[in-house]
Amino acid sequence: MKRLPIGILGSGKGSNCRAILERIRSRDLAAEARLVVSDVLDAPILDIAREFGVPNAYLAPGRFRTRLEPETEGQLVKMLRDAGVELVTLAGFMRILHEPMLKAFSGRIINIHPSLLPKFPGLEAWKQALAAGEKVTGCTVHYVDDKIDHGQIIAQREVTILPNDTPESLHARIQMLEHELYLAVIAELCEKIL
Ligand code: GRF
């Protein structure tokens, strides 16, 4: 079976990364994880990569808070290219990508976000939805551009907000659905690209 070489970028706990790597391990996804990269030295996502025996790297982000240093972003392109990556999946990557990555992997970078975009881009989107008194929120997979949680929407799933939901309970339900949705989209893209 042909497998699409993917790269995973993340800054945090890596539950989406784990879901992807589990599905690859059980051979239910026509993908191969070539590289996991994090801009946070001790991010659990790097431990998950090690647990699954996937090559992984810490990329020191440089002096900016919301983006990578341009040279660093160039380095990231090289790392992913050297690893033969053809699809880049962002899984909780907390920096905005710019030209080096967007040009090198045009139409090949996707992100998952815990709201029904265009509603509630940015941090803690589930809290934003609760605070706005929404009845329904969800998650979105979209192509990545140079704006925060923006870019062509590929797929969305809805989550009903329950009257007794706390930020934690709502976030947990959204995350369960995120894993399903991300895997479904990645599977579709594997088929399309291969
Ligand atoms: C997810 O909620 C995702 O939607 C957002 O960042 C979070 C990452 O979670 N972009 P995890 O690290 O995959 O658990």
Side-chain angles (χ1 to χ4, degrees):
M1 192 205 223
K2 263 189 97 185
R3 292 181 185 279
L4 187 71
I6 68 167
I8 303 171
L9 310 187
S11 311
K13 74 178 192 294
S15 72
N16 281 284
C17 176
R18 177 180 289 283
I20 296 167
L21 297 183
E22 273 171 356
R23 190 66 71 84
I24 288 176
R25 185 163 66 185
S26 64
R27 306 215 141 240
D28 288 332
L29 189 67
E32 190 189 328
R34 289 281 177 91
L35 185 62
V36 173
V37 180
S38 182
D39 58 323
V40 177
L41 183 59
D42 57 356
I45 194 170
L46 290 175
D47 297 325
I48 293 171
R50 287 178 206 115
E51 182 188 326
F52 282 79
V54 175
N56 57 87
Y58 162 63
L59 188 68
R63 71 201 133 121
F64 302 117
R65 203 170 47 84
T66 57
R67 60 180 293 177
L68 296 168
E69 201 87 42
E71 285 123 64
T72 311
E73 194 166 324
Q75 240 176 291
L76 177 60
V77 168
K78 185 169 183 325
M79 287 161 77
L80 292 164
R81 280 203 171 135
D82 288 351
V85 166
E86 288 183 36
L87 175 71
V88 180
T89 61
L90 306 191
F93 188 65
M94 301 303 281
R95 287 173 194 271
I96 303 160
L97 293 175
H98 291 275
E99 203 188 320
M101 277 294 290
L102 298 177
K103 217 168 141 192
F105 292 97
S106 169
R108 293 290 182 91
I109 311 178
I110 57 174
N111 181 43
I112 182 141
H113 180 74
S115 78
L116 296 175
L117 290 173
K119 278 189 171 175
F120 313 123
L123 294 176
E124 301 189 315
W126 61 94
K127 280 192 189 164
Q128 298 185 48
L130 267 182
E134 297 286 320
K135 300 266 180 298
V136 175
T137 185
C139 50
T140 302
V141 178
H142 63 95
Y143 287 106
V144 169
D145 64 14
D146 63 354
K147 298 185 189 70
I148 297 179
D149 303 320
H150 190 268
Q152 191 195 325
I153 291 173
I154 304 172
Q156 296 185 305
R157 289 275 165 88
E158 289 187 355
V159 174
T160 304
I161 299 182
L162 305 174
N164 57 350
D165 256 330
T166 61
E168 293 71 30
S169 64
L170 179 58
H171 187 210
R173 283 207 311 293
I174 294 174
Q175 280 235 286
M176 275 166 54
L177 225 64
E178 279 189 358
H179 303 160
E180 269 180 45
L181 180 66
Y182 218 5
L183 283 161
V185 169
I186 294 169
E188 242 175 65
L189 289 177
C190 286
E191 216 171 286
K192 208 164 128 189
I193 298 171
L194 279 172

